[in-house]
Amino acid sequence: MGNLKVISIWEQYSYYYLEGMSATLKIAVVSVLTSILFGIIIGILRLSRNWALKNVVAFYVSFIRGTPMLIQIYIVYYSLSFNMTMFTASVVALTVNASAYIGETVRGGIESVDKGQMEAARSLGLSHWQAMQEIVIPQAIKSILPSLCNQFIILIKNTSMMSVIGVHELMYNSNTVRANTYLAFEPLIIAATMYFVVCFILEKGVNYLERRLKYSA
């Protein structure tokens, strides 16, 4: 009986679920790109020789990692959304959160690169930033690439929190279907299945990438 309800809901509201998934993927793709950009900057600043700058960034990372994402979403929404679209507010909220975690990943990747690489680059006349940009960061990115790809999977799931501020992504549309059908369980099964299928495909892609990097190392 439950399976028949799920099939019936899908036949009637499939377009609504697909619209929600489309919005989810768009938000996640843009957010992961901006998060990687700012995460790299944060990771580099965490290793800065400027004591004040280094500690300001360290506090930002600690604050983001030490507070619930839901609070961060509300802070972004209520402080910035008056002159932002809902899409932009979602991207900003996700970027604020994910960039802190990516920053720590990048910092660890940079620190894992042999210090002799930097010393050799400096001895060849490269500035500290040139050495970071051309020698150290490319090697660090290669080692942390699987982690960055996993962040994309996390972002897709975190977009579900944007439903609390009215973003019409998959979870929001699923809740709308629940309200229309007066069914609590079946609409969520469809949404969960869609999240799982997308994340499962991406997970297999990350596993493949990890194997390729392992063999090319």
Side-chain angles (χ1 to χ4, degrees):
M1 188 67 175
N3 291 337
L4 293 177
K5 287 183 180 179
V6 169
I7 294 171
S8 176
I9 292 170
W10 176 254
E11 289 176 345
Q12 186 175 357
Y13 293 100
S14 59
Y15 70 96
Y16 212 53
Y17 279 103
L18 293 174
E19 283 181 356
M21 178 54 77
S22 175
T24 290
L25 292 176
K26 288 176 183 177
I27 293 170
V29 168
V30 176
S31 298
V32 79
L33 293 176
T34 54
S35 297
I36 289 173
L37 174 62
F38 285 102
I40 290 173
I41 294 172
I42 290 170
I44 293 172
L45 293 179
R46 288 279 280 120
L47 300 172
S48 172
R49 297 175 181 178
N50 185 313
W51 183 88
L53 183 60
K54 179 179 180 179
N55 281 277
V56 167
V57 175
F59 174 78
Y60 166 79
V61 171
S62 296
F63 179 81
I64 295 300
R65 297 177 70 183
T67 55
M69 186 178 179
L70 189 59
I71 292 177
Q72 298 163 21
I73 293 170
Y74 281 131
I75 290 173
V76 170
Y77 177 69
Y78 288 116
S79 63
L80 301 176
S81 65
F82 62 89
N83 58 359
M84 282 185 178
T85 65
M86 299 297 287
F87 178 86
T88 304
S90 300
V91 170
V92 171
L94 287 167
T95 300
V96 165
N97 180 270
S99 61
Y101 291 91
I102 292 176
E104 286 298 278
T105 301
V106 170
R107 179 183 64 82
I110 291 174
E111 290 182 331
S112 69
V113 176
D114 192 337
K115 290 181 172 58
Q117 299 280 340
M118 173 63 77
E119 294 171 359
R122 294 301 300 275
S123 67
L124 292 173
L126 275 67
S127 66
H128 180 80
W129 171 242
Q130 287 175 325
M132 288 288 289
Q133 186 178 15
E134 299 179 21
I135 306 296
V136 178
I137 292 178
Q139 293 184 60
I141 292 296
K142 182 178 179 180
S143 66
I144 65 174
L145 192 56
S147 296
L148 297 181
C149 293
N150 279 320
Q151 190 63 45
F152 186 32
I153 298 174
I154 294 171
L155 273 170
I156 288 175
K157 292 184 288 186
N158 284 347
T159 57
S160 62
M161 294 190 187
M162 299 305 148
S163 61
V164 300
I165 57 173
V167 179
H168 289 213
E169 42 69 60
L170 180 56
M171 191 62 196
Y172 182 94
N173 285 8
S174 176
N175 286 334
T176 302
V177 173
R178 292 172 66 202
N180 290 342
T181 59
Y182 300 102
L183 295 171
F185 184 71
E186 289 81 358
L188 291 177
I189 290 297
I190 296 174
T193 301
M194 294 179 73
Y195 279 119
F196 171 75
V197 169
V198 172
C199 291
F200 181 79
I201 293 171
L202 290 172
E203 182 183 352
K204 292 302 178 183
V206 171
N207 292 340
Y208 174 76
L209 179 62
E210 288 178 338
R211 290 195 298 269
R212 289 295 299 271
L213 291 175
K214 181 180 180 180
Y215 293 143
S216 64

